[in-house]
Amino acid sequence: MPDWLWSPAVILLAWGFFGFVHSILCRSGIKRYAERIWGPPFLAGLYRPLYSIISIAMVVWLWGLSAGLPGDITFLILPGPYINFVYAAKTAAVLLVAVCFREFSFMEFTGISQLLRWLRGELKSLPGTPAEQTPMAHRDGPLSVGGIFAWVRHPLNTAAIMWIWFQPAYTLHNTFFAVCLTTYILIGNRYEERDLVARYGPAYERYAEVVPAFFGGVSDIHRRKEKLRPRGHEHS
């Protein structure tokens, strides 16, 4: 098998492995099993930081793997003026991430807050999750429909798509990597949306009808807020 065909196959298999591990760790059944085996303090204090470490390590591994495989082919190298546009788009993606973490806690999202609570012994007497509730590895806040979340429902995914698709040069490997990442985001988003509907009910369904998932017009933000405000009681 030629390198130009073998390498994308390896990238696809690696992404399949990542998707399997990442999806398994996100499932409520696995969280409930972890809580039952290692106890509620483990789920509430250690599960999220371990999940974050594993996810970051695997993404770094995937990126390094795709960059180190033989048989890469360059399709397009952008001329100078367009490269500035690429870097502007990447800067916008970084700023979007920063804005996201103004809307919700970076420490809670990454699991650092949970780890600190566990180290301080605040979770020792934590009761188990009732059978009718979803086991949580982080604190469940109110549904946020304001700020950046009035533009898109999943701004971190938007930032990831922007970062990976805006490149100074497009090769077989980095393009295929971008395709795999985008596909995984689209598949994972379906499951995430299902979990959010289960968590927030009709409020999230109404929110999803008004606000697009990944990309939306800035000029429409005020109209979306107006549509959400009269009927919803969500905190922004």
Side-chain angles (χ1 to χ4, degrees):
M1 181 182 295
D3 288 341
W4 65 267
L5 189 58
W6 178 80
S7 293
V10 172
I11 295 172
L12 181 61
L13 288 173
W15 266 102
F17 175 69
F18 169 82
F20 173 77
V21 172
H22 195 257
S23 298
I24 287 293
L25 293 176
C26 288
R27 296 299 95 209
S28 60
I30 294 298
K31 294 174 184 175
R32 191 174 295 280
Y33 178 79
E35 184 182 53
R36 185 168 64 247
I37 298 299
W38 291 294
F42 173 85
L43 179 66
L46 296 178
Y47 193 93
R48 184 71 183 190
L50 289 174
Y51 167 83
S52 297
I53 290 170
I54 292 171
S55 298
I56 293 171
M58 292 192 72
V59 169
V60 171
W61 167 69
L62 281 166
W63 183 257
L65 175 70
S66 63
L69 289 171
D72 203 4
I73 301 171
T74 301
F75 299 134
L76 175 66
I77 299 177
L78 297 180
Y82 295 99
I83 292 180
N84 294 330
F85 178 74
V86 168
Y87 291 138
K90 286 185 176 292
T91 301
V94 173
L95 292 175
L96 181 56
V97 172
V99 171
C100 289
F101 287 123
R102 291 190 63 182
E103 300 284 345
F104 56 87
S105 171
F106 171 81
M107 301 282 282
E108 195 78 20
F109 180 81
T110 57
I112 297 174
S113 292
Q114 294 92 313
L115 177 61
L116 291 176
R117 289 195 290 269
W118 181 82
L119 291 173
R120 289 193 296 261
E122 298 176 6
L123 307 175
K124 286 183 179 179
S125 58
L126 193 70
T129 306
E132 67 276 8
Q133 295 182 11
T134 301
M136 299 294 292
H138 56 85
R139 288 182 174 174
D140 195 15
L143 175 62
S144 179
V145 299
I148 193 64
F149 294 101
W151 180 50
V152 290
R153 303 198 303 275
H154 305 284
L156 288 178
N157 287 338
T158 301
I161 292 171
M162 290 173 61
W163 179 274
I164 201 63
W165 278 106
F166 284 97
Q167 300 290 347
Y170 293 88
T171 70
L172 175 64
H173 291 177
N174 70 18
T175 302
F176 196 70
F177 185 96
V179 169
C180 290
L181 174 59
T182 305
T183 301
Y184 179 74
I185 287 174
L186 294 175
I187 294 173
N189 181 71
R190 297 189 63 181
Y191 291 97
E192 184 179 0
E193 292 276 302
R194 186 182 64 183
D195 292 343
L196 289 168
V197 170
R199 190 180 309 167
Y200 295 110
Y204 190 83
E205 293 178 331
R206 185 166 61 251
Y207 170 60
E209 290 175 357
V210 176
V211 179
F214 304 119
F215 295 96
V218 176
S219 61
D220 294 337
I221 289 179
H222 294 296
R223 178 184 58 82
R224 294 172 197 151
K225 288 182 177 180
E226 287 299 322
K227 282 188 174 183
L228 291 168
R229 185 176 295 119
R231 298 173 56 191
H233 301 283
E234 299 84 4
H235 299 283
S236 61

